[in-house]
Amino acid sequence: MSAGGRGVNTPGVKKLLEAEAKAAELVKKARNQKQVRMKQARDEAEAEINAYRSQREQEFQRKQTANAGNTGDVAAKIKKDTEVKLSDLEKSVTDNKQQVIQKLLDIVCQVDPQLHINFAARK
């Protein structure tokens, strides 16, 4: 056999070329189907993620709304406790004011004259 293109026209080679073209077409079709399945799977996963995200967001909003009421109650309780403590302190000041003033006056007015330690040491 000489290499002059004579072998291309034989029925066996034609059959092989047709089979190769058919196989290439099948591979192309399979790749396209795979791409379609991947896109479909990606879209389904994205939809599932969005649904889950939406559900969690709603749950978060519900909990945040429930806690918002509790926060107001806590703030009101703290304000009330603060007012009670302030009134107790004001009452204590009013009750003990004269005693504290008297003690201060007694300490300031009680003079016990003594020589300073350095003066006494010179002798």
Side-chain angles (χ1 to χ4, degrees), residues 89-98:
L89 285 173
E90 288 174 0
K91 184 180 181 301
S92 176
V93 166
T94 304
D95 291 346
N96 296 317
K97 185 176 183 178
Q98 285 303 320

Side-chain angles (χ1 to χ4, degrees), residues 4-123:
R6 201 171 110 198
V8 176
N9 293 331
T10 60
V13 173
K14 274 187 178 180
K15 202 172 191 180
L16 281 175
L17 289 174
E18 289 172 3
E20 186 179 346
K22 191 174 185 180
E25 185 64 33
L26 285 174
V27 168
K28 183 178 177 182
K29 189 176 180 181
R31 283 184 183 150
N32 289 341
Q33 287 177 347
K34 181 180 177 184
Q35 286 178 346
V36 168
R37 283 194 314 264
M38 290 296 286
K39 184 179 183 314
Q40 182 182 11
R42 191 177 310 117
D43 291 345
E44 288 174 2
E46 190 173 318
E48 191 173 323
I49 289 169
N50 288 338
Y52 179 75
R53 183 179 291 134
S54 175
Q55 174 192 357
R56 296 297 288 178
E57 181 68 26
Q58 287 175 354
E59 186 176 328
F60 173 75
Q61 292 297 332
R62 183 180 50 79
K63 285 183 180 180
Q64 194 172 25
T65 302
N67 287 338
N70 292 343
T71 304
D73 294 344
V74 170
K77 185 178 184 314
I78 290 172
K79 185 175 182 180
K80 181 182 174 192
D81 289 347
T82 303
E83 289 173 357
V84 167
K85 288 179 181 179
L86 283 174
S87 71
D88 288 346
L89 285 173
E90 288 174 0
K91 184 180 181 301
S92 176
V93 166
T94 304
D95 291 346
N96 296 317
K97 185 176 183 178
Q98 285 303 320
Q99 292 173 351
V100 171
I101 290 173
Q102 189 58 46
K103 282 185 180 180
L104 284 172
L105 287 174
D106 288 346
I107 291 171
V108 169
C109 292
Q110 181 183 2
V111 178
D112 186 20
Q114 294 179 355
L115 291 177
H116 192 269
I117 192 168
N118 289 340
F119 184 76
R122 281 194 222 163
K123 289 186 174 182

